[in-house]
């Protein structure tokens, strides 16, 4: 049996998404800036896609900028806000952000900006009060992720957004993992900017979006034509945008319910059948598709390799960091010991995950853990 539970890294493209994209490769392949019929068809598709994404977060179409994915959106928000106001040189973020935020902040530090990296508690939560006390009159931006890619913890961004708005500081949130799994209402949550990625929600890779609230000024990263409201030059990836929007349309509340049930079955099953395990991240306020356990006394890589031999695709830490042997910066920030952090395995489910697949994992995993513990030098 082949079981894919690495949907936090990337997802299978939904068949309906593929179908919606196809005409934009074969018939409506014009450049959306061209004035002829082919161009007009492409532009019409692009604007329809923009409207669908905007509606999903209670924004206007003019506030959605298509990008190449979550990483570019994060860069655009953080660097764009940092350089937008000459009198401000301070950024606030958290220690558990994705590298797309953390490494961008570190680059800005090299360029002379001050960055505050807020710590988190044992559950992985940022305290909104810490955000409030870190804000100064030099703060250009607060950027705190909506949901963490490794532990699935859902941060209190509505409270953080309220604080930022009251203090007159821009608030950006990385919603790459939470989009379509947790409701996002940019107005109610006082969000000024938000990053999205298509390939985490059964859309194609290489497309994402940045929401920029009307009135928010950011400096653009790239120079060229006046595409995307003069913020992101380059011929638009129309088929990608269409696929992204179709993926959004195809993510239903019933999918969230299905995935939540499977997540809980998997969590309970691991607790029932395996000793010395620790669930990383909370039970409540956790993404519907995230199961992250540390198997104490073991290396995550060993477990992951054995699981892979049984056809089960999982990950240790975030995909972007999986080439590194460092323990997860997220688990370390949550106060976990290095050896326990090394023993973590992330399983991320999707709407295509089945009950049989979860049962299969629960059948093979206890034996793998037993066998690994027998031979582990730890
Ligand atoms: C929280 C988070 N932000 C940003 C990214 C980067 O998104 P993309 O792969 O679209 O560049 C990821 C991808 O894993 C992510 O999980």
């Amino acid at each position: 049996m082949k079981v894919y539970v690495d949907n936090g890294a990337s997802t299978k493209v939904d068949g309906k998404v593929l179908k919606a994209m196809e005409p934009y490769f074969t018939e409506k392949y014009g450049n959306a800036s061209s004035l002829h019929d082919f161009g007009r068809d492409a532009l019409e598709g692009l604007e329809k896609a923009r409207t669908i994404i905007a509606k999903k977060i209670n924004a206007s179409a003019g506030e959605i900028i298509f990008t190449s994915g979550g990483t570019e959106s994060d860069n655009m928000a953080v660097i764009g806000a940092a350089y937008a106001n000459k009198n401000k040189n301070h950024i606030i973020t958290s220690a558990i952000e994705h590298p797309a935020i953390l490494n961008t902040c570190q680059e800005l530090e090299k360029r002379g900006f001050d960055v505050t990296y807020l710590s988190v508690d044992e559950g992985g939560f940022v305290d909104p009060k810490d955000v409030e006390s870190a804000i100064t009159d030099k703060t250009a931006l607060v950027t705190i992720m909506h949901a963490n890619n490794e532990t699935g913890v859902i941060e209190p961004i509505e409270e953080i957004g309220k604080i930022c708005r009251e203090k007159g500081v821009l608030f950006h949130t990385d919603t790459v993992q939470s989009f379509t799994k947790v409701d996002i209402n940019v107005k109610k949550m006082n969000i000024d900017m938000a990053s999205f990625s298509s390939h985490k929600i059964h859309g194609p890779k290489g497309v994402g979006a940045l929401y920029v609230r009307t009135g928010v000024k950011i400096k653009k990263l790239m120079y060229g034509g006046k595409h995307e409201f003069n913020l992101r030059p380059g011929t638009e990836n129309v088929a990608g945008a269409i696929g992204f929007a179709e993926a959004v349309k195809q993510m239903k509340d019933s999918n969230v319910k299905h995935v939540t049930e499977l997540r809980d079955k998997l969590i309970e099953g691991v607790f029932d059948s395996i000793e010395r395990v620790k669930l990383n991240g909370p039970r409540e306020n956790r993404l519907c598709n995230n199961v992250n356990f540390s198997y104490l006394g073991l290396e995550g890589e060993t477990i992951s390799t054995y699981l892979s031999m049984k056809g089960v695709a999982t990950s240790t830490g975030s995909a972007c960091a999986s080439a590194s042997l460092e323990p997860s910066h997220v688990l370390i920030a949550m106060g976990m010991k290095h050896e326990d952090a090394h023993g973590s395995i992330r399983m991320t489910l999707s709407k295509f995950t089945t009950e049989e697949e979860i049962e299969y994992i629960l059948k093979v995993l206890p034996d793998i853990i037993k066998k690994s513990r027998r031979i582990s030098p730890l």
Side-chain angles (χ1 to χ4, degrees):
M1 192 170 192
K2 275 212 175 291
V3 180
Y4 184 79
V5 278
D6 198 14
N7 291 280
S10 201
T11 57
K12 170 179 169 174
V13 173
D14 190 317
K16 293 205 172 92
V17 167
L18 269 182
K19 215 162 158 206
M21 290 172 74
E22 198 187 346
Y24 292 87
F25 292 113
T26 55
E27 295 158 34
K28 306 178 184 184
Y29 45 77
N31 185 317
S33 301
S34 300
L35 296 177
H36 43 64
D37 282 0
F38 289 86
R40 258 199 302 273
D41 282 350
L43 182 63
E44 198 184 302
L46 184 70
E47 294 316 315
K48 248 192 222 158
R50 204 187 300 284
T51 302
I52 288 168
I53 292 164
K55 263 200 183 145
K56 187 76 183 168
I57 58 168
N58 194 22
S60 314
E63 296 173 312
I64 301 296
I65 291 129
F66 283 114
T67 65
S68 65
T71 301
E72 184 186 334
S73 301
D74 284 347
N75 272 263
M76 214 168 142
V78 175
I79 300 176
Y83 284 102
N85 187 337
K86 273 198 232 91
N87 300 319
K88 300 195 174 188
N89 69 343
H90 177 225
I91 289 157
I92 299 170
T93 188
S94 81
I96 62 160
E97 299 294 314
H98 187 272
I101 292 287
L102 285 181
N103 290 339
T104 304
C105 286
Q106 279 164 20
E107 170 59 25
L108 286 175
E109 279 185 287
K110 285 186 205 145
R111 298 186 197 175
F113 287 86
D114 289 331
V115 181
T116 301
Y117 299 91
L118 297 176
S119 55
V120 294
D121 66 14
E122 255 184 32
F125 292 99
V126 172
D127 186 341
K129 286 198 210 88
D130 290 346
V131 176
E132 187 162 18
S133 16
I135 292 175
T136 72
D137 56 0
K138 292 278 181 208
T139 308
L141 179 76
V142 170
T143 174
I144 304 288
M145 70 201 319
H146 190 190
N148 184 266
N149 42 302
E150 294 189 36
T151 62
V153 57
I154 300 168
E155 298 295 344
I157 60 161
E158 191 165 345
E159 281 173 79
I160 295 170
K162 187 164 178 273
I163 290 166
C164 292
R165 191 60 59 84
E166 280 166 10
K167 296 257 183 186
V169 173
L170 285 185
F171 175 49
H172 165 257
T173 183
D174 176 334
T175 71
V176 165
Q177 293 289 341
S178 59
F179 186 40
T180 70
K181 300 185 189 94
V182 185
D183 284 343
I184 297 170
N185 181 331
V186 289
K187 293 201 174 70
K188 189 164 157 251
M189 294 170 148
N190 289 306
I191 296 169
D192 294 306
M193 290 188 279
S195 301
F196 307 92
S197 177
S198 150
H199 74 103
K200 309 288 186 183
I201 60 163
H202 309 287
K205 291 174 183 59
V207 60
L210 180 67
Y211 158 76
V212 182
R213 183 173 62 79
T214 303
V216 168
K217 295 269 172 288
I218 55 169
K219 192 154 166 51
K220 63 184 172 186
L221 295 181
M222 294 197 292
Y223 294 85
K226 293 198 183 318
H227 310 82
E228 297 299 302
F229 313 106
N230 202 16
L231 278 174
R232 205 277 185 175
T235 301
E236 296 91 346
N237 176 1
V238 179
I242 294 281
F244 184 14
E246 187 63 29
V248 171
K249 265 170 68 183
Q250 295 305 326
M251 291 290 276
K252 311 269 163 60
D253 288 351
S254 57
N255 298 138
V256 173
K257 188 170 171 283
H258 166 75
V259 175
T260 305
E261 282 166 11
L262 294 184
R263 175 201 67 185
D264 291 344
K265 186 180 168 93
L266 183 53
I267 291 178
E268 296 306 334
V270 169
F271 274 130
D272 285 349
S273 58
I274 304 172
E275 284 175 1
R276 296 177 57 225
V277 288
K278 183 180 179 312
L279 180 68
N280 297 317
R283 273 314 287 266
E284 301 290 317
N285 292 315
R286 179 182 201 104
L287 278 184
C288 60
N289 71 331
N290 179 292
V291 176
N292 183 330
F293 273 103
S294 279
Y295 301 86
L296 306 184
L298 292 179
E299 289 281 347
E301 281 71 23
T302 313
I303 307 166
S304 180
T305 306
Y306 279 133
L307 278 169
S308 179
M309 285 158 67
K310 292 279 181 194
V312 183
T314 60
S315 77
T316 55
S318 78
C320 309
S322 57
S324 117
L325 289 176
E326 288 297 307
S328 147
H329 71 282
V330 176
L331 300 182
I332 295 299
M334 288 160 65
M336 193 173 252
K337 288 190 285 190
H338 276 231
E339 57 267 35
D340 294 348
H342 269 301
S344 77
I345 290 281
R346 178 186 77 168
M347 297 188 193
T348 36
L349 321 183
S350 86
K351 63 179 180 179
F352 296 122
T353 308
T354 65
E355 192 160 4
E356 292 72 49
E357 289 176 336
I358 297 298
E359 280 161 7
Y360 178 71
I361 295 172
L362 288 172
K363 196 170 122 215
V364 297
L365 186 60
D367 284 345
I368 287 174
I369 300 299
K370 243 188 244 152
K371 186 162 92 183
S372 308
R373 281 197 173 132
R374 264 202 308 270
I375 58 171
S376 169
L378 304 175

